[in-house]
Amino acid sequence: MAEAGTGFLEQLKSCIVWSWTYLWTLWFFIMLFLVYILRVPLKINDNLSTVSMFLNTLTPKFYVALTGTSSLISGLILIFEWWYFRKYGTSFIEQVSVSHLRPLLGGVDNSAPSAASAASGDADSGRQSVSECKVWRNPLNLFRGAEYNRYTWVTGREPLTYYDMNLSAQDHQTFFTCDTDHLRPADAIMQKAWRERNPQARISAAHEALELNECATAYILLAEEEATTIVEAEKLFKQALKAGEGCYRRSQQLQHHGAQYEAQHRRDTNVLVYIKRRLAMCARKLGRTREAVKMMRDLMKEFPLLSMFNIHENLLEALLELQAYADVQAVLAKYDDISLPKSATICYTAALLKARAVSDKFSPEAASRRGLSTAEMNAVEAIHRAVEFNPHVPKYLLEMKSLILPPEHILKRGDSEAIAYAFFHLQHWKRVEGALNLLHCTWEGTFRMIPYPLEKGHLFYPYPICTETADRELLPFYPKKELPFFILFTAGLCSFTAMLALLTHQFPELMGVFAKAFLSTLFAPLNFVMEKVESILPSSLWHQLTRI
């Protein structure tokens, strides 16, 4: 019985909320009608006459004080809003309205995920807590010596942050070292080299290790950091491949002889996969795209379990360059799965393929007249899905934000991932006729479905609130945030009231005439409506209502 009563109260509350949300215009007119009907017993006309007489007796000094005080208050609010935005990255008024006022007016319950996200949420999103943002290695990261350093030579600026390079050093120690390195002099030198902060010291250590033995990891370090061109890097990686394959074959035969041999074989496997992947990337950068695709496919077949390198994202980019869209769809069919982690590359590539089918003939005017076809609806839904996963990407694809060199690590659903995706995939979107136009017309519609993405998602879990903090550590130039509406509003209000105060002080008589003309113009429509209502309704309506 109690549950039935609770259900009835919830339904009643939802009906009231719905009425205030959608029928506020009707409520407004009803209130106006009641005020008009009760104008005689409430003595509204007499009160208005008294107020007008009081206002006429006020001196211009009062209006100067009024506008000056309004300007001061709005200025203080502007200063506080600006300080809060600089410190916390959001508007205080907006945060209070979202956190406290909206639940009172029928806000969503974010204690549980939506039904759609429960049905089709991703495994990685389910494991992710809001307070934890995992940083991933960028599968398309550039070469330090041949690409990142070139930017430094031209601009004099560092393209990578210390935090990003420190994460790379940790990755190198994880992938390229093991507990038995101290038994081999060359590997022992490289174990220290990966921990060295100074680039020149690392390069010197790699040359020292090569003097002792053909060390694959030493060639990797030289290819990544010393080679000034992709051609030089490819030559060094080929030498690393020769040394790495020998070590891999030897450790493969001994991997079952003990835990140390197993760890060494795991390290040699990581080294071999890394070398082959970077060789495929060299071929892609040098224009041998078909060769790169073949190398990536062979690598994925040879080591299907090493998904931590995300080689399929390299393959997707190369296939898009070849415009092999059927092969791209086949790769997506395997990796765009509910049980696998998502990425901007997966979501936006799927959206690009859907958009490609309709973008060349898409017209927003025609779509508004006849409605969206099934194919257009599928494309729009794919774009909305991608935007929900990472809402930063469209502004980079539409060149509303400036691109910088992508970092070596990315934060999924963050600005760093958006920059890395757009840096390599913008050309593929431009190649598909009308794709960017379709994206421009539809991507903002995502937020009509999820107006508060930090609280509740649709196809994914709510957008994590920790992305900005991590992205500021990863990106050397964090993109400027757009100013919140309330900062712009308070700035305009402060300037407007200050201008009124100054004009009223300098020209009191002229401003008085202007104010009277403005108020008479403002209330002219209301007076016209009142005259029409009085001419239609009988004068004794109130007396008839009291008799009833």
Side-chain angles (χ1 to χ4, degrees):
M1 189 69 180
E3 294 180 357
T6 304
F8 174 74
L9 291 177
E10 290 295 330
Q11 291 180 356
L12 181 62
K13 180 181 177 181
S14 63
C15 292
I16 296 175
V17 169
W18 181 87
S19 66
W20 275 107
T21 305
Y22 298 99
L23 299 180
W24 64 269
T25 307
L26 180 61
W27 284 99
F28 178 73
F29 281 110
I30 290 176
M31 293 301 297
L32 286 180
F33 182 74
L34 289 177
V35 169
Y36 175 78
I37 293 300
L38 300 175
R39 70 186 187 281
V40 175
L42 294 178
K43 299 181 180 180
I44 294 178
N45 293 331
D46 297 340
N47 293 331
L48 289 177
S49 301
T50 304
V51 170
S52 63
M53 291 176 59
F54 173 75
L55 293 178
N56 289 330
T57 59
L58 295 176
T59 63
K61 292 184 179 180
F62 171 80
Y63 294 104
V64 173
L66 178 64
T67 52
T69 305
S70 302
S71 177
L72 176 62
I73 294 175
S74 56
L76 293 176
I77 296 174
L78 173 63
I79 294 172
F80 177 76
E81 276 282 301
W82 178 257
W83 169 81
Y84 196 88
F85 173 73
R86 296 286 295 178
K87 186 173 183 179
Y88 299 104
T90 185
S91 167
F92 174 77
I93 300 176
E94 183 179 351
Q95 186 180 23
V96 169
S97 62
V98 170
S99 303
H100 302 287
L101 298 182
R102 197 171 68 87
L104 297 178
L105 299 177
V108 296
D109 181 14
N110 57 2
S111 60
S114 61
S117 62
S120 59
D122 304 295
D124 65 318
S125 300
R127 291 190 296 267
Q128 177 193 32
S129 65
V130 172
S131 61
E132 177 180 291
C133 285
K134 182 179 180 180
V135 176
W136 300 69
R137 187 161 182 83
N138 182 7
L140 295 170
N141 65 307
L142 305 177
F143 293 85
R144 283 194 189 179
E147 294 174 305
Y148 285 123
N149 284 349
R150 187 181 302 173
Y151 175 84
T152 304
W153 298 335
V154 174
T155 64
R157 299 178 178 178
E158 291 294 334
L160 299 174
T161 62
Y162 174 77
Y163 176 70
D164 193 13
M165 292 189 289
N166 186 48
L167 291 175
S168 296
Q170 296 177 18
D171 292 340
H172 295 154
Q173 294 175 50
T174 302
F175 295 149
F176 303 149
T177 62
C178 65
D179 296 335
T180 61
D181 283 346
H182 65 279
L183 302 176
R184 296 174 297 279
D187 289 335
I189 294 174
M190 289 307 301
Q191 191 175 39
K192 296 179 180 179
W194 294 121
R195 299 172 181 170
E196 181 61 51
R197 293 184 179 181
N198 189 350
Q200 293 301 323
R202 290 196 296 269
I203 292 173
S204 300
H207 284 292
E208 183 182 351
L210 288 176
E211 293 176 358
L212 299 177
N213 192 10
E214 289 290 307
C215 181
T217 55
Y219 282 119
I220 290 176
L221 193 148
L222 295 178
E224 291 284 353
E225 302 193 19
E226 188 182 40
T228 57
T229 64
I230 300 297
V231 175
E232 294 178 16
E234 186 180 34
K235 291 180 180 178
L236 290 170
F237 273 121
K238 287 181 178 179
Q239 292 176 279
L241 179 63
K242 183 178 179 181
E245 285 180 336
C247 293
Y248 175 77
R249 285 193 294 268
R250 288 193 296 269
S251 64
Q252 190 177 26
Q253 297 173 358
L254 301 173
Q255 61 175 319
H256 300 296
H257 291 189
Q260 291 184 345
Y261 292 103
E262 184 179 354
Q264 184 176 347
H265 176 67
R266 190 183 309 113
R267 190 277 309 267
D268 292 338
T269 302
N270 292 335
V271 170
L272 185 62
V273 172
Y274 186 89
I275 293 171
K276 290 186 174 183
R277 172 175 161 269
R278 292 304 255 178
L279 277 172
M281 294 177 67
C282 288
R284 166 70 183 91
K285 292 176 184 293
L286 294 174
R288 306 195 306 270
T289 310
R290 295 188 182 278
E291 178 185 345
V293 168
K294 183 178 183 305
M295 295 172 67
M296 293 174 192
R297 289 187 185 278
D298 293 342
L299 185 58
M300 293 169 67
K301 290 179 181 179
E302 186 177 0
F303 301 98
L305 300 179
L306 289 181
S307 59
M308 57 186 172
F309 290 103
N310 291 326
I311 305 172
H312 61 277
E313 296 195 12
N314 299 84
L315 179 60
L316 284 173
E317 196 279 327
L319 290 173
L320 287 172
E321 177 64 22
L322 294 175
Q323 301 185 42
Y325 297 110
D327 294 334
V328 173
Q329 185 62 57
V331 175
L332 286 177
K334 181 178 180 181
Y335 290 96
D336 192 4
D337 186 79
I338 190 174
S339 62
L340 296 177
K342 294 293 180 292
S343 66
T345 301
I346 293 292
C347 295
Y348 278 90
T349 302
L352 177 60
L353 293 188
K354 295 286 182 64
R356 176 176 169 268
V358 298
S359 60
D360 57 336
K361 299 178 182 178
F362 178 78
S363 172
E365 294 80 9
S368 62
R369 289 195 305 268
R370 57 172 171 79
L372 295 175
S373 64
T374 303
E376 290 173 339
M377 183 63 71
N378 292 336
V380 172
E381 289 177 353
I383 290 175
H384 288 177
R385 169 180 179 258
V387 173
E388 182 183 353
F389 181 81
N390 193 323
H392 305 284
V393 173
K395 289 192 175 182
Y396 291 104
L397 291 178
L398 298 172
E399 300 181 76
M400 301 167 65
K401 284 186 177 181
S402 300
L403 276 176
I404 60 174
L405 293 181
E408 292 184 337
H409 290 80
I410 59 175
L411 182 67
K412 288 193 174 183
R413 308 185 76 178
D415 259 294
S416 53
E417 184 190 33
I419 290 172
Y421 173 80
F423 186 85
F424 293 99
H425 288 262
L426 176 58
Q427 56 180 332
H428 306 314
W429 279 82
K430 288 184 175 181
R431 188 178 293 122
V432 177
E433 182 182 358
L436 289 176
N437 177 51
L438 179 61
L439 178 68
H440 174 73
C441 296
T442 58
W443 75 275
E444 291 181 333
T446 308
F447 303 105
R448 286 193 286 270
M449 296 188 304
I450 45 171
Y452 301 96
L454 294 177
E455 298 183 11
K456 189 173 184 179
H458 178 59
L459 297 174
F460 300 96
Y461 276 71
Y463 187 80
I465 60 176
C466 59
T467 57
E468 181 179 343
T469 303
D471 277 335
R472 286 186 181 275
E473 296 288 336
L474 289 172
L475 298 174
F477 312 106
Y478 188 77
K480 293 183 179 180
K481 293 187 65 175
E482 295 181 358
L483 291 177
F485 165 76
F486 287 106
I487 288 183
L488 301 176
F489 176 76
T490 52
L493 181 63
C494 177
S495 304
F496 179 71
T497 51
M499 181 185 68
L500 284 181
L502 180 61
L503 291 176
T504 306
H505 178 71
Q506 294 293 331
F507 311 102
E509 296 181 359
L510 181 62
M511 289 301 296
V513 174
F514 174 78
K516 291 180 180 178
F518 175 76
L519 291 176
S520 61
T521 306
L522 182 65
F523 287 103
L526 181 60
N527 293 331
F528 176 78
V529 173
M530 294 288 290
E531 292 176 359
K532 291 295 182 182
V533 171
E534 288 179 356
S535 63
I536 296 174
L537 295 177
S539 58
S540 58
L541 178 63
W542 170 249
H543 298 288
Q544 294 177 8
L545 289 176
T546 54
R547 291 175 182 177
I548 295 175

